PDB file of all heavy atoms in Angstrom:
ATOM      1  N   THR U  53      97.056  81.351 129.119  1.00 68.00           N
ATOM      2  CA  THR U  53      96.841  79.953 128.683  1.00 68.00           C
ATOM      3  C   THR U  53      95.732  79.241 129.287  1.00 68.00           C
ATOM      4  O   THR U  53      95.387  78.113 128.984  1.00 68.00           O
ATOM      5  CB  THR U  53      98.193  79.154 129.135  1.00 68.00           C
ATOM      6  OG1 THR U  53      98.272  79.273 130.571  1.00 68.00           O
ATOM      7  CG2 THR U  53      99.445  79.865 128.489  1.00 68.00           C
ATOM      8  N   ARG U  54      94.934  79.946 130.209  1.00 75.00           N
ATOM      9  CA  ARG U  54      93.860  79.218 130.899  1.00 75.00           C
ATOM     10  C   ARG U  54      92.640  79.402 129.888  1.00 75.00           C
ATOM     11  O   ARG U  54      92.590  80.220 129.071  1.00 75.00           O
ATOM     12  CB  ARG U  54      93.519  80.025 132.265  1.00 75.00           C
ATOM     13  CG  ARG U  54      94.764  79.946 133.127  1.00 75.00           C
ATOM     14  CD  ARG U  54      94.499  80.531 134.603  1.00 75.00           C
ATOM     15  NE  ARG U  54      93.507  79.684 135.233  1.00 75.00           N
ATOM     16  CZ  ARG U  54      93.191  79.944 136.508  1.00 75.00           C
ATOM     17  NH1 ARG U  54      93.790  80.876 137.141  1.00 75.00           N
ATOM     18  NH2 ARG U  54      92.232  79.181 137.159  1.00 75.00           N
ATOM     19  N   ALA U  55      91.629  78.557 130.237  1.00 84.00           N
ATOM     20  CA  ALA U  55      90.505  78.563 129.468  1.00 84.00           C
ATOM     21  C   ALA U  55      89.675  79.944 129.577  1.00 84.00           C
ATOM     22  O   ALA U  55      89.644  80.555 130.628  1.00 84.00           O
ATOM     23  CB  ALA U  55      89.543  77.455 129.901  1.00 84.00           C
ATOM     24  N   ALA U  56      89.127  80.362 128.466  1.00 88.00           N
ATOM     25  CA  ALA U  56      88.417  81.639 128.390  1.00 88.00           C
ATOM     26  C   ALA U  56      87.000  81.493 129.209  1.00 88.00           C
ATOM     27  O   ALA U  56      86.357  80.387 129.212  1.00 88.00           O
ATOM     28  CB  ALA U  56      88.095  82.062 126.971  1.00 88.00           C
ATOM     29  N   GLU U  57      86.717  82.533 129.820  1.00 92.00           N
ATOM     30  CA  GLU U  57      85.396  82.513 130.650  1.00 92.00           C
ATOM     31  C   GLU U  57      84.542  83.807 130.304  1.00 92.00           C
ATOM     32  O   GLU U  57      85.233  84.751 129.661  1.00 92.00           O
ATOM     33  CB  GLU U  57      85.726  82.454 132.172  1.00 92.00           C
ATOM     34  CG  GLU U  57      86.426  81.265 132.627  1.00 92.00           C
ATOM     35  CD  GLU U  57      86.649  81.290 134.074  1.00 92.00           C
ATOM     36  OE1 GLU U  57      85.820  81.968 134.818  1.00 92.00           O
ATOM     37  OE2 GLU U  57      87.477  80.547 134.583  1.00 92.00           O
ATOM     38  N   PRO U  58      83.305  83.729 130.574  1.00 94.00           N
ATOM     39  CA  PRO U  58      82.492  84.927 130.178  1.00 94.00           C
ATOM     40  C   PRO U  58      83.018  86.122 131.031  1.00 94.00           C
ATOM     41  O   PRO U  58      83.534  86.079 132.203  1.00 94.00           O
ATOM     42  CB  PRO U  58      81.111  84.529 130.684  1.00 94.00           C
ATOM     43  CG  PRO U  58      81.061  83.063 130.628  1.00 94.00           C
ATOM     44  CD  PRO U  58      82.480  82.533 130.862  1.00 94.00           C
ATOM     45  N   LEU U  59      82.885  87.359 130.373  1.00 94.00           N
ATOM     46  CA  LEU U  59      83.443  88.457 130.959  1.00 94.00           C
ATOM     47  C   LEU U  59      82.891  88.813 132.407  1.00 94.00           C
ATOM     48  O   LEU U  59      83.619  89.103 133.320  1.00 94.00           O
ATOM     49  CB  LEU U  59      83.095  89.707 130.055  1.00 94.00           C
ATOM     50  CG  LEU U  59      83.444  91.089 130.554  1.00 94.00           C
ATOM     51  CD1 LEU U  59      84.940  91.281 130.706  1.00 94.00           C
ATOM     52  CD2 LEU U  59      82.887  92.195 129.626  1.00 94.00           C
ATOM     53  N   ASP U  60      81.582  88.685 132.468  1.00 92.00           N
ATOM     54  CA  ASP U  60      80.981  88.982 133.852  1.00 92.00           C
ATOM     55  C   ASP U  60      81.502  88.137 134.883  1.00 92.00           C
ATOM     56  O   ASP U  60      81.382  88.499 136.213  1.00 92.00           O
ATOM     57  CB  ASP U  60      79.432  88.917 133.763  1.00 92.00           C
ATOM     58  CG  ASP U  60      78.806  89.980 132.843  1.00 92.00           C
ATOM     59  OD1 ASP U  60      79.446  91.033 132.728  1.00 92.00           O
ATOM     60  OD2 ASP U  60      77.721  89.724 132.279  1.00 92.00           O
ATOM     61  N   GLU U  61      81.944  86.928 134.728  1.00 93.00           N
ATOM     62  CA  GLU U  61      82.452  86.039 135.801  1.00 93.00           C
ATOM     63  C   GLU U  61      83.847  86.378 136.196  1.00 93.00           C
ATOM     64  O   GLU U  61      84.262  85.866 137.293  1.00 93.00           O
ATOM     65  CB  GLU U  61      82.400  84.536 135.254  1.00 93.00           C
ATOM     66  CG  GLU U  61      81.037  84.032 134.924  1.00 93.00           C
ATOM     67  CD  GLU U  61      81.011  82.619 134.471  1.00 93.00           C
ATOM     68  OE1 GLU U  61      82.096  81.992 134.464  1.00 93.00           O
ATOM     69  OE2 GLU U  61      79.884  82.059 134.113  1.00 93.00           O
ATOM     70  N   LEU U  62      84.512  87.182 135.468  1.00 92.00           N
ATOM     71  CA  LEU U  62      85.912  87.588 135.798  1.00 92.00           C
ATOM     72  C   LEU U  62      86.069  88.998 136.415  1.00 92.00           C
ATOM     73  O   LEU U  62      87.103  89.386 136.754  1.00 92.00           O
ATOM     74  CB  LEU U  62      86.748  87.549 134.491  1.00 92.00           C
ATOM     75  CG  LEU U  62      86.949  86.162 133.824  1.00 92.00           C
ATOM     76  CD1 LEU U  62      87.769  86.266 132.515  1.00 92.00           C
ATOM     77  CD2 LEU U  62      87.559  85.171 134.909  1.00 92.00           C
ATOM     78  N   LEU U  63      84.955  89.670 136.539  1.00 92.00           N
ATOM     79  CA  LEU U  63      84.890  91.012 137.054  1.00 92.00           C
ATOM     80  C   LEU U  63      84.596  90.972 138.562  1.00 92.00           C
ATOM     81  O   LEU U  63      83.852  90.087 139.023  1.00 92.00           O
ATOM     82  CB  LEU U  63      83.792  91.876 136.253  1.00 92.00           C
ATOM     83  CG  LEU U  63      84.058  92.173 134.830  1.00 92.00           C
ATOM     84  CD1 LEU U  63      82.975  92.895 134.237  1.00 92.00           C
ATOM     85  CD2 LEU U  63      85.469  92.874 134.652  1.00 92.00           C
ATOM     86  N   PRO U  64      85.055  91.862 139.286  1.00 92.00           N
ATOM     87  CA  PRO U  64      85.872  92.954 138.882  1.00 92.00           C
ATOM     88  C   PRO U  64      87.372  92.433 138.720  1.00 92.00           C
ATOM     89  O   PRO U  64      87.733  91.360 139.265  1.00 92.00           O
ATOM     90  CB  PRO U  64      85.877  93.926 140.171  1.00 92.00           C
ATOM     91  CG  PRO U  64      85.597  93.035 141.417  1.00 92.00           C
ATOM     92  CD  PRO U  64      84.783  91.979 140.777  1.00 92.00           C
ATOM     93  N   VAL U  65      88.135  93.121 138.069  1.00 90.00           N
ATOM     94  CA  VAL U  65      89.482  92.830 137.675  1.00 90.00           C
ATOM     95  C   VAL U  65      90.416  92.921 138.927  1.00 90.00           C
ATOM     96  O   VAL U  65      90.460  93.958 139.562  1.00 90.00           O
ATOM     97  CB  VAL U  65      90.173  93.603 136.499  1.00 90.00           C
ATOM     98  CG1 VAL U  65      91.551  93.002 136.211  1.00 90.00           C
ATOM     99  CG2 VAL U  65      89.173  93.563 135.289  1.00 90.00           C
ATOM    100  N   ASP U  66      91.197  91.882 139.256  1.00 86.00           N
ATOM    101  CA  ASP U  66      92.141  91.909 140.304  1.00 86.00           C
ATOM    102  C   ASP U  66      93.414  91.217 139.812  1.00 86.00           C
ATOM    103  O   ASP U  66      93.612  90.929 138.638  1.00 86.00           O
ATOM    104  CB  ASP U  66      91.604  91.261 141.543  1.00 86.00           C
ATOM    105  CG  ASP U  66      91.087  89.864 141.356  1.00 86.00           C
ATOM    106  OD1 ASP U  66      91.435  89.227 140.396  1.00 86.00           O
ATOM    107  OD2 ASP U  66      90.287  89.407 142.058  1.00 86.00           O
ATOM    108  N   LYS U  67      94.384  90.921 140.803  1.00 81.00           N
ATOM    109  CA  LYS U  67      95.660  90.372 140.404  1.00 81.00           C
ATOM    110  C   LYS U  67      95.421  88.924 139.947  1.00 81.00           C
ATOM    111  O   LYS U  67      96.318  88.439 139.278  1.00 81.00           O
ATOM    112  CB  LYS U  67      96.602  90.360 141.690  1.00 81.00           C
ATOM    113  CG  LYS U  67      97.002  91.733 141.991  1.00 81.00           C
ATOM    114  CD  LYS U  67      97.972  91.795 143.136  1.00 81.00           C
ATOM    115  CE  LYS U  67      98.389  93.093 143.598  1.00 81.00           C
ATOM    116  NZ  LYS U  67      99.313  93.093 144.677  1.00 81.00           N
TER     117      LYS U  67
END
Side-chain angles (χ1 to χ4, degrees):
T53 60
R54 304 183 65 174
E57 297 182 20
L59 173 65
D60 293 333
E61 296 182 6
L62 298 176
L63 297 178
V65 185
D66 54 21
K67 293 181 180 180

